[in-house]
Amino acid sequence: MISAEKEILPILNQQELYTVEPTHLHVASSDIVETIDVNVFYGDFHALKDVNLAIKKNSVTALIGPSGCGKTTFLRLLNRMNDYIPSHMVRGKVLINGVDIYRDKIEIEQLRKEVGMVFQKPNPFPKSIFENVAYGLRIQGIKDKHLIHERVINAIQQVGLWNEVKDNLRKNALALSGGQQQRVCIARTLAVEPDIILMDEPTSALDPISTSRIEELILQLKQKYTIIIVTHNMQQASRISDTTAFFYLGELIEVGKTTDIFTNPRNERTERYITGRFG
Amino acid sequence: MNNQVKNRIKDKLFSIWGWISVSIGIVALAVFIIDILFDGLPVLSFRFLTSLPSRIPEKAGIFTAMMGTVWIFILTAVIAFPLGVASGVYLEEYGIKNRLSKLLEINIANLAGVPSIIYGLLGLEIFVRIFRLGNSILAGSLTLALLILPIIIVSTREAIKAVPQSLRDASYALGATKWQTIWYQVLPASFGGILTGVILALSRAIGEAAPLIVVGALAYVPFAPTSPMDNFSVLPIQIFNWISRPQKGFIQNAAAAIIVLLIITFLLNGIAMYMRNRWQRKMKI
């Protein structure tokens, strides 16, 4: 699928590429994220090998695979969170909205406003619920109280937390339950109004009820955002994702429509993994 | 079976050994405090706190020494706190981790163990002579600030190290810069630990006599200091001076001054613990 697109591109007339309305250019324009021959190294360790993956706007993409297969590395590649690991090196292209985030001159802080992230364990700041959600706006230097208030409330409403917390927005976020904390973390990400939200096993520390609420939320958020989620839970991947990508030992083994991957995997390793025979 | 009995005996023996060790410390401290209270309490009065030093024990008071200690405490805190915390933050967050930084780390830890009189000599040369600050409160405070900097740096680094990575990740992922992450997340989360280190260091500083004697603090100062450039005395020096006199009256004065110094230290530590606990409660829920 990816290679097919890459072959089509050169065939298109260059002139056409510039004149045609972006929305009509299905091949190039709907991919909000595209990686081309991406390799990641941690010192001698080759963590990602020639990964080519394109992700469509307003879709949910699940990254699956056994532990240590590179799916979290791939996720953190997209908002440059791996930069903090010493001896970390990236080769190849990582395009977000057509910009190569490792080669082109970009502000890393700006990138992270466009590509938000939700972590495995809920990690709210030890501040009030309101201040947690407002943090991303305050660090941008936004001083307008009405704007902050509006965006914070909007974000809390989007994650379905409003009725639970509307009377105590000043309460410390750490006093909330795990599931509520994780929704505060999602609200905090939404308040910055990103295009893409990366989620690194966002429900693995939560109980089943909180998990299903987060899953419903992800399906709603798809309307406005592009979501890329790492999960160890096969049912979760099949419930919420449009596209599934299977990683194994640093390679992208197979990527396709979730229904295809789960009913009719092309690769034998994918099949063995999703049926639980290894991993 | 036999082995089990042996282990139990060892267990018992160690707990007895530990109990004795603790008791020795507590008994020694208790004897010291009771002795001091017997000698000092009868002398301790409002007059004693507000009188100037004198040749006659009954007229002598600790007003100048106490004001000197307050001046030294505040100035030392103002100098050492920003320098120490900034150094700790830099070394932990910005400094490149290599063999040189490792060496630096070991040296800072070593500096915390250097005898205070050595710092006094350093202060005498640099602040009193080269900077021409004279035998002033400022020279004394700068010297004490140097003395406690290693303690503050080390405790700042430890406190910062204890901040979970997940907190930094959360901040960075929202587009915060390194400085914003440090200022809004790392420092508030570690402030309780930093404060503890700073207060412990400061309560050590106000108990010091040796480096201040070298820098030129006087035993007899007729007036309480009014500016950082004034001559000064501090409680430990006043105590040291009185103890070396032959008259019984001065020994009692020394005991009373020790009580005052103990109370000041106790209060400072109390305030520190209160602030730390309050801060940590706020950070935890």
Side-chain angles (χ1 to χ4, degrees), chain A residues 76 81 84 109 112 117 119 123 125-127 135 139 172 174 188 192, chain B residues 166-167 169-177 180 184-185 282-283 285:
Chain A
R76 294 170 76 100
M81 283 297 274
Y84 301 108
E109 290 79 24
R112 290 183 185 146
M117 188 168 207
F119 296 85
N123 56 351
F125 302 121
K127 299 176 175 209
Y135 183 72
I139 57 173
N172 194 311
L174 290 172
R188 177 171 79 181
V192 185
Chain B
S166 62
L167 203 62
D169 281 349
S171 177
Y172 285 133
L174 287 166
T177 61
Q180 286 173 326
Y184 293 115
Q185 302 302 336
K282 202 174 116 196
M283 296 309 286
I285 276 180

PDB file of all heavy atoms in Angstrom, chain A residues 76 81 84 109 112 117 119 123 125-127 135 139 172 174 188 192, chain B residues 166-167 169-177 180 184-185 282-283 285:
ATOM      1  N   ARG A  76       6.994   7.727  19.930  1.00  0.00           N
ATOM      2  CA  ARG A  76       7.743   8.852  20.493  1.00  0.00           C
ATOM      3  C   ARG A  76       8.632   9.530  19.443  1.00  0.00           C
ATOM      4  O   ARG A  76       9.113  10.639  19.673  1.00  0.00           O
ATOM      5  CB  ARG A  76       8.586   8.387  21.686  1.00  0.00           C
ATOM      6  CG  ARG A  76       7.718   7.930  22.843  1.00  0.00           C
ATOM      7  CD  ARG A  76       8.526   7.237  23.915  1.00  0.00           C
ATOM      8  NE  ARG A  76       9.280   8.173  24.713  1.00  0.00           N
ATOM      9  CZ  ARG A  76       8.912   8.607  25.925  1.00  0.00           C
ATOM     10  NH1 ARG A  76       7.813   8.173  26.460  1.00  0.00           N
ATOM     11  NH2 ARG A  76       9.660   9.447  26.593  1.00  0.00           N
ATOM     12  N   MET A  81      10.015  12.785  21.366  1.00  0.00           N
ATOM     13  CA  MET A  81      10.229  12.557  22.791  1.00  0.00           C
ATOM     14  C   MET A  81      11.439  11.656  23.021  1.00  0.00           C
ATOM     15  O   MET A  81      11.912  11.525  24.149  1.00  0.00           O
ATOM     16  CB  MET A  81       8.985  11.934  23.441  1.00  0.00           C
ATOM     17  CG  MET A  81       7.876  12.923  23.699  1.00  0.00           C
ATOM     18  SD  MET A  81       8.305  14.232  24.881  1.00  0.00           S
ATOM     19  CE  MET A  81       7.917  13.425  26.424  1.00  0.00           C
ATOM     20  N   TYR A  84      15.400  12.880  24.317  1.00  0.00           N
ATOM     21  CA  TYR A  84      16.022  12.962  25.640  1.00  0.00           C
ATOM     22  C   TYR A  84      16.890  11.754  25.947  1.00  0.00           C
ATOM     23  O   TYR A  84      17.602  11.734  26.938  1.00  0.00           O
ATOM     24  CB  TYR A  84      14.948  13.114  26.724  1.00  0.00           C
ATOM     25  CG  TYR A  84      14.136  14.352  26.491  1.00  0.00           C
ATOM     26  CD1 TYR A  84      12.830  14.283  26.046  1.00  0.00           C
ATOM     27  CD2 TYR A  84      14.724  15.597  26.643  1.00  0.00           C
ATOM     28  CE1 TYR A  84      12.110  15.427  25.782  1.00  0.00           C
ATOM     29  CE2 TYR A  84      14.012  16.750  26.380  1.00  0.00           C
ATOM     30  CZ  TYR A  84      12.708  16.661  25.951  1.00  0.00           C
ATOM     31  OH  TYR A  84      12.003  17.795  25.685  1.00  0.00           O
ATOM     32  N   GLU A 109       9.065  22.771  20.429  1.00  0.00           N
ATOM     33  CA  GLU A 109       7.900  23.089  21.261  1.00  0.00           C
ATOM     34  C   GLU A 109       6.656  23.243  20.390  1.00  0.00           C
ATOM     35  O   GLU A 109       5.569  22.839  20.770  1.00  0.00           O
ATOM     36  CB  GLU A 109       8.145  24.381  22.053  1.00  0.00           C
ATOM     37  CG  GLU A 109       9.179  24.254  23.153  1.00  0.00           C
ATOM     38  CD  GLU A 109      10.608  24.314  22.642  1.00  0.00           C
ATOM     39  OE1 GLU A 109      10.821  24.885  21.557  1.00  0.00           O
ATOM     40  OE2 GLU A 109      11.503  23.783  23.318  1.00  0.00           O
ATOM     41  N   ARG A 112       5.303  19.902  19.351  1.00  0.00           N
ATOM     42  CA  ARG A 112       4.563  19.200  20.402  1.00  0.00           C
ATOM     43  C   ARG A 112       3.208  19.836  20.678  1.00  0.00           C
ATOM     44  O   ARG A 112       2.353  19.213  21.301  1.00  0.00           O
ATOM     45  CB  ARG A 112       5.406  19.139  21.670  1.00  0.00           C
ATOM     46  CG  ARG A 112       6.562  18.198  21.471  1.00  0.00           C
ATOM     47  CD  ARG A 112       7.387  18.025  22.692  1.00  0.00           C
ATOM     48  NE  ARG A 112       8.538  17.206  22.371  1.00  0.00           N
ATOM     49  CZ  ARG A 112       9.728  17.369  22.925  1.00  0.00           C
ATOM     50  NH1 ARG A 112       9.914  18.315  23.814  1.00  0.00           N
ATOM     51  NH2 ARG A 112      10.714  16.578  22.590  1.00  0.00           N
ATOM     52  N   MET A 117       0.474  14.169  23.378  1.00  0.00           N
ATOM     53  CA  MET A 117       0.769  12.803  23.802  1.00  0.00           C
ATOM     54  C   MET A 117       0.099  12.479  25.137  1.00  0.00           C
ATOM     55  O   MET A 117       0.082  13.288  26.056  1.00  0.00           O
ATOM     56  CB  MET A 117       2.281  12.625  23.932  1.00  0.00           C
ATOM     57  CG  MET A 117       2.682  11.177  24.172  1.00  0.00           C
ATOM     58  SD  MET A 117       4.459  10.960  23.969  1.00  0.00           S
ATOM     59  CE  MET A 117       4.514   9.251  23.485  1.00  0.00           C
ATOM     60  N   PHE A 119       0.155   9.424  28.109  1.00  0.00           N
ATOM     61  CA  PHE A 119       1.103   8.397  28.524  1.00  0.00           C
ATOM     62  C   PHE A 119       0.421   7.175  29.131  1.00  0.00           C
ATOM     63  O   PHE A 119      -0.780   7.181  29.416  1.00  0.00           O
ATOM     64  CB  PHE A 119       2.105   8.988  29.524  1.00  0.00           C
ATOM     65  CG  PHE A 119       2.962  10.056  28.909  1.00  0.00           C
ATOM     66  CD1 PHE A 119       2.520  11.369  28.843  1.00  0.00           C
ATOM     67  CD2 PHE A 119       4.198   9.738  28.369  1.00  0.00           C
ATOM     68  CE1 PHE A 119       3.305  12.355  28.265  1.00  0.00           C
ATOM     69  CE2 PHE A 119       4.984  10.719  27.788  1.00  0.00           C
ATOM     70  CZ  PHE A 119       4.531  12.025  27.738  1.00  0.00           C
ATOM     71  N   ASN A 123      -0.407  10.783  34.372  1.00  0.00           N
ATOM     72  CA  ASN A 123       0.616  11.610  35.036  1.00  0.00           C
ATOM     73  C   ASN A 123       0.175  13.063  35.141  1.00  0.00           C
ATOM     74  O   ASN A 123       0.814  13.957  34.602  1.00  0.00           O
ATOM     75  CB  ASN A 123       1.965  11.498  34.320  1.00  0.00           C
ATOM     76  CG  ASN A 123       1.880  11.860  32.846  1.00  0.00           C
ATOM     77  OD1 ASN A 123       0.798  12.045  32.311  1.00  0.00           O
ATOM     78  ND2 ASN A 123       3.015  11.982  32.195  1.00  0.00           N
ATOM     79  N   PHE A 125      -0.240  16.749  36.658  1.00  0.00           N
ATOM     80  CA  PHE A 125       0.640  17.571  37.494  1.00  0.00           C
ATOM     81  C   PHE A 125       0.031  17.651  38.892  1.00  0.00           C
ATOM     82  O   PHE A 125      -1.184  17.603  39.027  1.00  0.00           O
ATOM     83  CB  PHE A 125       0.768  18.975  36.906  1.00  0.00           C
ATOM     84  CG  PHE A 125       1.300  19.000  35.516  1.00  0.00           C
ATOM     85  CD1 PHE A 125       0.558  19.556  34.481  1.00  0.00           C
ATOM     86  CD2 PHE A 125       2.547  18.460  35.233  1.00  0.00           C
ATOM     87  CE1 PHE A 125       1.048  19.576  33.184  1.00  0.00           C
ATOM     88  CE2 PHE A 125       3.042  18.485  33.930  1.00  0.00           C
ATOM     89  CZ  PHE A 125       2.291  19.041  32.914  1.00  0.00           C
ATOM     90  N   PRO A 126       0.861  17.803  39.896  1.00  0.00           N
ATOM     91  CA  PRO A 126       0.319  17.932  41.260  1.00  0.00           C
ATOM     92  C   PRO A 126      -0.302  19.307  41.470  1.00  0.00           C
ATOM     93  O   PRO A 126       0.123  20.071  42.330  1.00  0.00           O
ATOM     94  CB  PRO A 126       1.539  17.696  42.154  1.00  0.00           C
ATOM     95  CG  PRO A 126       2.709  18.001  41.308  1.00  0.00           C
ATOM     96  CD  PRO A 126       2.319  17.765  39.884  1.00  0.00           C
ATOM     97  N   LYS A 127      -1.267  19.636  40.638  1.00  0.00           N
ATOM     98  CA  LYS A 127      -1.952  20.924  40.694  1.00  0.00           C
ATOM     99  C   LYS A 127      -3.439  20.666  40.583  1.00  0.00           C
ATOM    100  O   LYS A 127      -3.856  19.525  40.445  1.00  0.00           O
ATOM    101  CB  LYS A 127      -1.536  21.792  39.498  1.00  0.00           C
ATOM    102  CG  LYS A 127      -0.086  22.129  39.421  1.00  0.00           C
ATOM    103  CD  LYS A 127       0.178  22.911  38.148  1.00  0.00           C
ATOM    104  CE  LYS A 127       1.627  23.353  38.125  1.00  0.00           C
ATOM    105  NZ  LYS A 127       1.847  24.567  37.414  1.00  0.00           N
ATOM    106  N   TYR A 135      -2.313  24.322  31.766  1.00  0.00           N
ATOM    107  CA  TYR A 135      -0.846  24.408  31.709  1.00  0.00           C
ATOM    108  C   TYR A 135      -0.302  24.647  30.294  1.00  0.00           C
ATOM    109  O   TYR A 135       0.505  25.549  30.072  1.00  0.00           O
ATOM    110  CB  TYR A 135      -0.244  23.118  32.286  1.00  0.00           C
ATOM    111  CG  TYR A 135       1.262  23.109  32.345  1.00  0.00           C
ATOM    112  CD1 TYR A 135       1.934  23.893  33.281  1.00  0.00           C
ATOM    113  CD2 TYR A 135       2.018  22.319  31.481  1.00  0.00           C
ATOM    114  CE1 TYR A 135       3.307  23.887  33.358  1.00  0.00           C
ATOM    115  CE2 TYR A 135       3.399  22.307  31.557  1.00  0.00           C
ATOM    116  CZ  TYR A 135       4.047  23.088  32.496  1.00  0.00           C
ATOM    117  OH  TYR A 135       5.404  23.081  32.565  1.00  0.00           O
ATOM    118  N   ILE A 139       1.914  28.014  29.310  1.00  0.00           N
ATOM    119  CA  ILE A 139       3.314  28.020  28.883  1.00  0.00           C
ATOM    120  C   ILE A 139       3.475  28.605  27.481  1.00  0.00           C
ATOM    121  O   ILE A 139       4.577  28.975  27.098  1.00  0.00           O
ATOM    122  CB  ILE A 139       3.954  26.606  28.933  1.00  0.00           C
ATOM    123  CG1 ILE A 139       3.162  25.628  28.089  1.00  0.00           C
ATOM    124  CG2 ILE A 139       4.103  26.125  30.362  1.00  0.00           C
ATOM    125  CD1 ILE A 139       3.835  24.278  27.975  1.00  0.00           C
ATOM    126  N   ASN A 172      -7.167  19.164  43.716  1.00  0.00           N
ATOM    127  CA  ASN A 172      -5.932  18.604  43.168  1.00  0.00           C
ATOM    128  C   ASN A 172      -6.253  17.398  42.280  1.00  0.00           C
ATOM    129  O   ASN A 172      -7.008  16.503  42.677  1.00  0.00           O
ATOM    130  CB  ASN A 172      -5.018  18.172  44.319  1.00  0.00           C
ATOM    131  CG  ASN A 172      -3.610  17.900  43.849  1.00  0.00           C
ATOM    132  OD1 ASN A 172      -3.378  17.181  42.875  1.00  0.00           O
ATOM    133  ND2 ASN A 172      -2.646  18.485  44.530  1.00  0.00           N
ATOM    134  N   LEU A 174      -4.579  14.937  41.560  1.00  0.00           N
ATOM    135  CA  LEU A 174      -4.103  13.648  42.079  1.00  0.00           C
ATOM    136  C   LEU A 174      -5.134  12.984  42.980  1.00  0.00           C
ATOM    137  O   LEU A 174      -5.017  11.806  43.302  1.00  0.00           O
ATOM    138  CB  LEU A 174      -2.800  13.844  42.854  1.00  0.00           C
ATOM    139  CG  LEU A 174      -1.593  14.194  41.988  1.00  0.00           C
ATOM    140  CD1 LEU A 174      -0.405  14.563  42.858  1.00  0.00           C
ATOM    141  CD2 LEU A 174      -1.225  13.035  41.086  1.00  0.00           C
ATOM    142  N   ARG A 188      -5.963  17.860  28.989  1.00  0.00           N
ATOM    143  CA  ARG A 188      -4.794  18.734  28.986  1.00  0.00           C
ATOM    144  C   ARG A 188      -4.169  18.790  27.584  1.00  0.00           C
ATOM    145  O   ARG A 188      -3.740  19.842  27.119  1.00  0.00           O
ATOM    146  CB  ARG A 188      -3.829  18.109  29.996  1.00  0.00           C
ATOM    147  CG  ARG A 188      -2.523  18.733  30.176  1.00  0.00           C
ATOM    148  CD  ARG A 188      -1.848  18.076  31.360  1.00  0.00           C
ATOM    149  NE  ARG A 188      -1.260  16.778  31.024  1.00  0.00           N
ATOM    150  CZ  ARG A 188      -0.634  16.006  31.903  1.00  0.00           C
ATOM    151  NH1 ARG A 188      -0.554  16.347  33.149  1.00  0.00           N
ATOM    152  NH2 ARG A 188      -0.118  14.856  31.534  1.00  0.00           N
ATOM    153  N   VAL A 192      -4.581  22.258  24.106  1.00  0.00           N
ATOM    154  CA  VAL A 192      -3.556  22.871  23.251  1.00  0.00           C
ATOM    155  C   VAL A 192      -3.985  22.828  21.782  1.00  0.00           C
ATOM    156  O   VAL A 192      -3.364  23.445  20.934  1.00  0.00           O
ATOM    157  CB  VAL A 192      -2.207  22.152  23.478  1.00  0.00           C
ATOM    158  CG1 VAL A 192      -1.081  22.795  22.716  1.00  0.00           C
ATOM    159  CG2 VAL A 192      -1.862  22.127  24.968  1.00  0.00           C
TER     160      VAL A 192
ATOM    161  N   SER B 166       8.030  10.972  34.644  1.00  0.00           N
ATOM    162  CA  SER B 166       6.708  11.117  34.030  1.00  0.00           C
ATOM    163  C   SER B 166       6.216  12.566  34.102  1.00  0.00           C
ATOM    164  O   SER B 166       5.508  13.029  33.219  1.00  0.00           O
ATOM    165  CB  SER B 166       5.711  10.182  34.716  1.00  0.00           C
ATOM    166  OG  SER B 166       5.585  10.515  36.077  1.00  0.00           O
ATOM    167  N   LEU B 167       6.615  13.268  35.161  1.00  0.00           N
ATOM    168  CA  LEU B 167       6.213  14.666  35.312  1.00  0.00           C
ATOM    169  C   LEU B 167       6.874  15.543  34.251  1.00  0.00           C
ATOM    170  O   LEU B 167       6.242  16.404  33.639  1.00  0.00           O
ATOM    171  CB  LEU B 167       6.603  15.144  36.709  1.00  0.00           C
ATOM    172  CG  LEU B 167       5.847  16.326  37.277  1.00  0.00           C
ATOM    173  CD1 LEU B 167       4.380  16.004  37.422  1.00  0.00           C
ATOM    174  CD2 LEU B 167       6.438  16.726  38.623  1.00  0.00           C
ATOM    175  N   ASP B 169       8.035  14.414  31.361  1.00  0.00           N
ATOM    176  CA  ASP B 169       7.470  13.994  30.076  1.00  0.00           C
ATOM    177  C   ASP B 169       6.171  14.739  29.807  1.00  0.00           C
ATOM    178  O   ASP B 169       5.950  15.237  28.701  1.00  0.00           O
ATOM    179  CB  ASP B 169       7.190  12.484  30.095  1.00  0.00           C
ATOM    180  CG  ASP B 169       8.454  11.663  29.876  1.00  0.00           C
ATOM    181  OD1 ASP B 169       9.487  12.267  29.514  1.00  0.00           O
ATOM    182  OD2 ASP B 169       8.414  10.435  30.077  1.00  0.00           O
ATOM    183  N   ALA B 170       5.309  14.784  30.839  1.00  0.00           N
ATOM    184  CA  ALA B 170       4.011  15.432  30.664  1.00  0.00           C
ATOM    185  C   ALA B 170       4.197  16.885  30.244  1.00  0.00           C
ATOM    186  O   ALA B 170       3.503  17.387  29.365  1.00  0.00           O
ATOM    187  CB  ALA B 170       3.214  15.352  31.959  1.00  0.00           C
ATOM    188  N   SER B 171       5.150  17.555  30.883  1.00  0.00           N
ATOM    189  CA  SER B 171       5.371  18.969  30.584  1.00  0.00           C
ATOM    190  C   SER B 171       5.941  19.152  29.173  1.00  0.00           C
ATOM    191  O   SER B 171       5.452  19.959  28.390  1.00  0.00           O
ATOM    192  CB  SER B 171       6.311  19.557  31.624  1.00  0.00           C
ATOM    193  OG  SER B 171       6.602  20.894  31.331  1.00  0.00           O
ATOM    194  N   TYR B 172       6.960  18.372  28.855  1.00  0.00           N
ATOM    195  CA  TYR B 172       7.568  18.468  27.518  1.00  0.00           C
ATOM    196  C   TYR B 172       6.544  18.169  26.429  1.00  0.00           C
ATOM    197  O   TYR B 172       6.510  18.837  25.398  1.00  0.00           O
ATOM    198  CB  TYR B 172       8.736  17.487  27.386  1.00  0.00           C
ATOM    199  CG  TYR B 172       9.979  17.911  28.111  1.00  0.00           C
ATOM    200  CD1 TYR B 172      10.673  17.023  28.923  1.00  0.00           C
ATOM    201  CD2 TYR B 172      10.482  19.202  27.957  1.00  0.00           C
ATOM    202  CE1 TYR B 172      11.830  17.405  29.594  1.00  0.00           C
ATOM    203  CE2 TYR B 172      11.632  19.588  28.615  1.00  0.00           C
ATOM    204  CZ  TYR B 172      12.305  18.686  29.430  1.00  0.00           C
ATOM    205  OH  TYR B 172      13.432  19.076  30.071  1.00  0.00           O
ATOM    206  N   ALA B 173       5.702  17.153  26.674  1.00  0.00           N
ATOM    207  CA  ALA B 173       4.757  16.728  25.642  1.00  0.00           C
ATOM    208  C   ALA B 173       3.727  17.809  25.341  1.00  0.00           C
ATOM    209  O   ALA B 173       3.073  17.769  24.314  1.00  0.00           O
ATOM    210  CB  ALA B 173       4.057  15.437  26.062  1.00  0.00           C
ATOM    211  N   LEU B 174       3.553  18.763  26.264  1.00  0.00           N
ATOM    212  CA  LEU B 174       2.606  19.853  26.005  1.00  0.00           C
ATOM    213  C   LEU B 174       3.294  21.043  25.350  1.00  0.00           C
ATOM    214  O   LEU B 174       2.687  22.090  25.175  1.00  0.00           O
ATOM    215  CB  LEU B 174       1.951  20.284  27.315  1.00  0.00           C
ATOM    216  CG  LEU B 174       0.928  19.290  27.859  1.00  0.00           C
ATOM    217  CD1 LEU B 174       0.574  19.603  29.297  1.00  0.00           C
ATOM    218  CD2 LEU B 174      -0.320  19.287  26.990  1.00  0.00           C
ATOM    219  N   GLY B 175       4.573  20.870  25.010  1.00  0.00           N
ATOM    220  CA  GLY B 175       5.271  21.947  24.317  1.00  0.00           C
ATOM    221  C   GLY B 175       6.037  22.874  25.236  1.00  0.00           C
ATOM    222  O   GLY B 175       6.389  23.983  24.838  1.00  0.00           O
ATOM    223  N   ALA B 176       6.289  22.438  26.466  1.00  0.00           N
ATOM    224  CA  ALA B 176       7.051  23.284  27.379  1.00  0.00           C
ATOM    225  C   ALA B 176       8.537  23.223  27.023  1.00  0.00           C
ATOM    226  O   ALA B 176       9.037  22.199  26.566  1.00  0.00           O
ATOM    227  CB  ALA B 176       6.854  22.829  28.820  1.00  0.00           C
ATOM    228  N   THR B 177       9.217  24.339  27.248  1.00  0.00           N
ATOM    229  CA  THR B 177      10.666  24.331  27.073  1.00  0.00           C
ATOM    230  C   THR B 177      11.296  23.712  28.326  1.00  0.00           C
ATOM    231  O   THR B 177      10.625  23.452  29.313  1.00  0.00           O
ATOM    232  CB  THR B 177      11.209  25.756  26.908  1.00  0.00           C
ATOM    233  OG1 THR B 177      10.888  26.478  28.103  1.00  0.00           O
ATOM    234  CG2 THR B 177      10.586  26.461  25.729  1.00  0.00           C
ATOM    235  N   GLN B 180      10.839  26.063  31.273  1.00  0.00           N
ATOM    236  CA  GLN B 180       9.469  26.042  31.792  1.00  0.00           C
ATOM    237  C   GLN B 180       9.216  24.770  32.592  1.00  0.00           C
ATOM    238  O   GLN B 180       8.580  24.804  33.645  1.00  0.00           O
ATOM    239  CB  GLN B 180       8.467  26.130  30.636  1.00  0.00           C
ATOM    240  CG  GLN B 180       8.397  27.516  30.032  1.00  0.00           C
ATOM    241  CD  GLN B 180       7.536  27.554  28.785  1.00  0.00           C
ATOM    242  OE1 GLN B 180       7.482  26.593  28.016  1.00  0.00           O
ATOM    243  NE2 GLN B 180       6.864  28.667  28.563  1.00  0.00           N
ATOM    244  N   TYR B 184       8.218  25.307  36.374  1.00  0.00           N
ATOM    245  CA  TYR B 184       6.838  25.047  36.761  1.00  0.00           C
ATOM    246  C   TYR B 184       6.622  23.651  37.340  1.00  0.00           C
ATOM    247  O   TYR B 184       5.635  23.419  38.031  1.00  0.00           O
ATOM    248  CB  TYR B 184       5.891  25.236  35.570  1.00  0.00           C
ATOM    249  CG  TYR B 184       5.801  26.667  35.102  1.00  0.00           C
ATOM    250  CD1 TYR B 184       6.252  27.041  33.849  1.00  0.00           C
ATOM    251  CD2 TYR B 184       5.258  27.647  35.932  1.00  0.00           C
ATOM    252  CE1 TYR B 184       6.179  28.351  33.417  1.00  0.00           C
ATOM    253  CE2 TYR B 184       5.181  28.963  35.507  1.00  0.00           C
ATOM    254  CZ  TYR B 184       5.644  29.308  34.255  1.00  0.00           C
ATOM    255  OH  TYR B 184       5.565  30.610  33.843  1.00  0.00           O
ATOM    256  N   GLN B 185       7.486  22.705  37.011  1.00  0.00           N
ATOM    257  CA  GLN B 185       7.244  21.336  37.489  1.00  0.00           C
ATOM    258  C   GLN B 185       8.344  20.814  38.410  1.00  0.00           C
ATOM    259  O   GLN B 185       8.080  20.382  39.509  1.00  0.00           O
ATOM    260  CB  GLN B 185       7.071  20.372  36.297  1.00  0.00           C
ATOM    261  CG  GLN B 185       5.944  20.750  35.352  1.00  0.00           C
ATOM    262  CD  GLN B 185       4.597  20.833  36.044  1.00  0.00           C
ATOM    263  OE1 GLN B 185       4.369  20.220  37.077  1.00  0.00           O
ATOM    264  NE2 GLN B 185       3.688  21.614  35.481  1.00  0.00           N
ATOM    265  N   LYS B 282       0.759  19.506  49.939  1.00  0.00           N
ATOM    266  CA  LYS B 282       0.161  20.221  48.809  1.00  0.00           C
ATOM    267  C   LYS B 282       0.500  19.512  47.495  1.00  0.00           C
ATOM    268  O   LYS B 282      -0.312  19.434  46.591  1.00  0.00           O
ATOM    269  CB  LYS B 282       0.713  21.650  48.782  1.00  0.00           C
ATOM    270  CG  LYS B 282      -0.176  22.623  48.032  1.00  0.00           C
ATOM    271  CD  LYS B 282       0.339  24.040  48.153  1.00  0.00           C
ATOM    272  CE  LYS B 282       0.749  24.549  46.805  1.00  0.00           C
ATOM    273  NZ  LYS B 282       1.578  25.739  46.876  1.00  0.00           N
ATOM    274  N   MET B 283       1.735  18.999  47.398  1.00  0.00           N
ATOM    275  CA  MET B 283       2.155  18.353  46.160  1.00  0.00           C
ATOM    276  C   MET B 283       1.557  16.966  46.032  1.00  0.00           C
ATOM    277  O   MET B 283       1.469  16.421  44.956  1.00  0.00           O
ATOM    278  CB  MET B 283       3.677  18.243  46.105  1.00  0.00           C
ATOM    279  CG  MET B 283       4.394  19.572  46.072  1.00  0.00           C
ATOM    280  SD  MET B 283       3.770  20.683  44.810  1.00  0.00           S
ATOM    281  CE  MET B 283       4.459  19.894  43.347  1.00  0.00           C
ATOM    282  N   ILE B 285      -1.627  15.627  47.311  1.00  0.00           N
ATOM    283  CA  ILE B 285      -3.079  15.606  47.157  1.00  0.00           C
ATOM    284  C   ILE B 285      -3.542  16.885  47.776  1.00  0.00           C
ATOM    285  O   ILE B 285      -2.998  17.296  48.747  1.00  0.00           O
ATOM    286  CB  ILE B 285      -3.789  14.390  47.841  1.00  0.00           C
ATOM    287  CG1 ILE B 285      -3.738  13.170  46.908  1.00  0.00           C
ATOM    288  CG2 ILE B 285      -5.237  14.754  48.127  1.00  0.00           C
ATOM    289  CD1 ILE B 285      -4.399  11.945  47.498  1.00  0.00           C
TER     290      ILE B 285
END
